[in-house]
Amino acid sequence: MLGYQANAQWRDMSDFVVHFTKPGPPYHDAYQNMMSILGARTLIPGAEGFGIARREAVVADRHRSVCFSEIPLDQLARLVQRRSLYGIAFRKSFILSQGGGPVWYVQYGSPAHLAMRHQLDQALAAKEPHKEPVWAVTPFVDIQGDAHNAPYSYRFDWEREWRVPGLLRFTEYDVAALFLPEEVHTLARDFFAWAVRERAGPGYFCPVLDPGWKAEQIMEALAKQTEAPVAAERKSVQG
């Protein structure tokens, strides 16, 4: 399950993207925020937009996006330090089906940057600027530079970001895995079992992983989850 496009040797790539929650509204705890998202089956973008045209008032709302990272599942430590230990993983194929995709990191002052800026200026000068097709692209374009290229001096391409403009609705069957500290895995599983039993909300019975686990532990957990439905089917047939 680790690797890329069924090739276990391509460990620098991943078929998954992960959204990590952070402490903050509506709760002050990343775990509670994650459980709230899972209960609502919806990821809502923050107030701040992303992309090259996020500060253009006429289209600012179209740049509010939900963010993910395609860093391989066993190499998330650096991202966890910036976010939290609590994350929701989806397959890339699902994110693509919802209008999402990878971010394009463009060097400040490069020909690509200047061409993109020209396209934006033309769109803003149009009779109906909000109808220009370039705005379908701009949420996925980030400008980055060196220390003297303020405000683009922070290089964030290591995050290998994906985005979905607007909110993302999903079902419990769309979630590929959950990331939580190992000490709360049982708590989370028991909660989802209770929610289904009492018809209080959705149950997420996908793999539950710890972002600090090594590759072997993650692969074992993914393999167990894959084998479980097969074992249940065999038992049903034999019975």
Side-chain angles (χ1 to χ4, degrees):
M1 296 290 287
L2 294 182
Y4 184 62
Q5 295 186 351
N7 191 324
Q9 303 305 313
W10 295 358
R11 294 298 304 283
D12 58 326
M13 300 290 289
S14 177
D15 288 322
F16 304 94
V17 293
V18 184
H19 172 88
F20 280 96
T21 62
K22 294 192 295 185
Y27 302 103
H28 296 290
D29 179 271
Y31 172 77
Q32 290 179 311
N33 276 338
M34 187 178 80
M35 299 304 279
S36 175
I37 290 166
L38 294 173
R41 301 183 179 96
T42 306
L43 275 163
I44 301 173
E48 181 181 354
F50 298 92
I52 189 174
R54 67 188 182 279
R55 294 191 177 93
E56 304 296 346
V58 68
V59 290
D61 281 349
R62 296 175 66 172
H63 290 74
R64 296 176 59 216
S65 304
V66 179
C67 301
F68 306 84
S69 172
E70 65 166 323
I71 294 173
L73 301 184
D74 59 325
Q75 300 176 34
L76 293 167
R78 186 176 177 188
L79 191 63
V80 164
Q81 290 177 355
R82 288 182 58 85
R83 299 291 192 273
S84 75
L85 294 166
Y86 303 92
I88 306 170
F90 299 89
R91 288 192 171 274
K92 285 180 177 177
S93 55
F94 172 71
I95 298 301
L96 289 168
S97 75
Q98 302 303 303
V103 170
W104 179 25
Y105 300 102
V106 177
Q107 177 67 24
Y108 177 85
S110 67
H113 178 202
L114 298 178
M116 198 73 202
R117 186 67 254 178
H118 178 68
Q119 291 294 317
L120 266 59
D121 291 341
Q122 284 191 320
L124 291 168
K127 185 176 180 180
E128 296 182 288
H130 62 286
K131 293 185 178 181
E132 292 296 302
V134 72
W135 309 127
V137 177
T138 52
F140 299 100
V141 180
D142 275 1
I143 307 302
Q144 62 178 13
D146 299 316
H148 58 283
N149 298 138
Y152 305 108
S153 56
Y154 173 62
R155 289 191 171 272
F156 36 77
D157 50 348
W158 64 269
E159 294 190 13
R160 297 168 66 167
E161 191 173 348
W162 281 48
R163 291 178 187 149
V164 175
L167 58 78
L168 175 67
R169 298 191 186 279
F170 57 88
T171 73
E172 52 269 47
Y173 307 107
D174 297 318
V175 175
L178 298 177
F179 281 96
L180 308 96
E182 187 172 2
E183 60 266 25
V184 297
H185 284 189
T186 300
L187 175 67
R189 288 194 183 97
D190 289 348
F191 173 79
F192 293 133
W194 170 87
V196 171
R197 185 172 61 251
E198 300 297 325
R199 299 182 180 179
Y204 292 83
F205 303 107
C206 55
V208 181
L209 314 173
D210 187 309
W213 279 354
K214 301 296 184 183
E216 292 75 15
Q217 293 172 286
I218 292 176
M219 286 190 290
E220 182 181 357
L222 294 174
K224 284 182 179 179
Q225 192 73 18
T226 302
E227 293 167 0
V230 176
E233 183 178 349
R234 287 176 179 169
K235 184 177 181 181
S236 174
V237 172
Q238 292 171 354

